[in-house]
């Protein structure tokens, strides 16, 4: 089994260079990328995810804070920083045009390796942290109420 830590370090170098070809070279052709936005399976979908990220944040950079030293899986804590100057897909399917806002988002990720390629890469970060830095607000639908009206009583 390959060394997940070394492969993940190569992935971060490629990510920071915004080198999509090198990013894909780190992943198995049928690899899976799991993010808060959803699941990407295979090179085409993984490439699409990274292309969107690089387009939305042309100066995006990852700074690694902490790594867990083990062969597999590789676990890393990091900070993403960059300026939102391009389109960003939103959870509801809409697109947020470039806001010009600088973001700094903390996160963690883990990956497993097979045949010297990443077969599963899971990325976790707080979407609310990102969206609030982009000027978004948390809005509840009409069914919610600050006074708790309309909530069932205990025992209902």
């Amino acid at each position: 089994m390959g060394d997940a830590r070394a492969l993940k370090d190569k992935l971060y170098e490629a990510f920071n260079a915004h080198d999509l070809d090198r990013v894909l070279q780190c992943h198995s052709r049928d690899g899976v990328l799991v993010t808060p936005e959803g699941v990407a399976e295979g090179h085409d979908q993984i490439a699409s995810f990274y292309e969107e990220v690089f387009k939305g944040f042309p100066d995006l950079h990852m700074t690694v804070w902490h790594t867990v030293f083990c062969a597999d899986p590789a676990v890393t804590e990091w900070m993403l920083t960059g300026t939102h100057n391009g389109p960003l897909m939103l959870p509801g399917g809409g697109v947020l045009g470039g806001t010009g806002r600088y973001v700094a988002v903390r996160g963690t990720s883990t990956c497993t390796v097979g045949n010297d390629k990443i077969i599963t890469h899971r990325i976790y970060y707080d979407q609310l942290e990102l969206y609030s830095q982009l000027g978004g607000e948390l809005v509840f639908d009409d069914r919610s109420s600050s006074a708790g009206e309309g909530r069932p009583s205990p025992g209902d």
Side-chain angles (χ1 to χ4, degrees):
M1 183 172 288
D3 182 350
R5 171 85 278 129
L7 190 56
K8 198 162 184 190
D9 290 344
K10 287 181 185 178
L11 174 64
Y12 292 145
E13 289 173 18
F15 178 90
N16 282 336
H18 293 209
D19 187 332
L20 186 57
D21 289 333
R22 284 179 36 215
V23 167
L24 291 177
Q25 288 172 16
C26 294
H27 291 82
S28 168
R29 294 207 64 68
D30 59 351
V32 177
L33 173 65
V34 180
T35 71
E37 291 80 17
V39 177
E41 298 182 27
H43 272 196
D44 289 344
Q45 291 181 11
I46 293 170
S48 179
F49 169 81
Y50 283 107
E51 284 173 335
E52 291 295 320
V53 169
F54 295 156
K55 189 184 306 178
F57 297 87
D59 62 345
L60 192 62
H61 181 82
M62 178 180 291
T63 301
V64 174
W65 284 354
H66 178 72
T67 59
V68 176
F69 290 100
C70 59
D72 192 26
V75 179
T76 308
E77 290 181 291
W78 39 258
M79 171 77 78
L80 284 178
T81 55
T83 308
H84 177 229
N85 285 326
L88 176 68
M89 292 292 293
L90 296 173
V95 177
L96 177 63
T99 62
R101 290 176 181 241
Y102 180 82
V103 298
V105 178
R106 300 161 294 157
T108 189
S109 57
T110 181
C111 72
T112 56
V113 170
N115 296 323
D116 297 322
K117 300 286 183 183
I118 296 171
I119 56 175
T120 305
H121 190 189
R122 291 178 173 85
I123 299 172
Y124 303 96
Y125 68 89
D126 185 345
Q127 286 178 296
L128 185 56
E129 181 178 39
L130 171 63
Y131 297 143
S132 64
Q133 290 180 40
L134 293 174
E137 295 179 7
L138 182 61
V139 177
F140 293 95
D141 64 25
D142 292 339
R143 293 174 288 175
S144 61
S145 168
S146 60
E149 297 171 10
R151 289 189 187 157
S153 301
D156 283 353

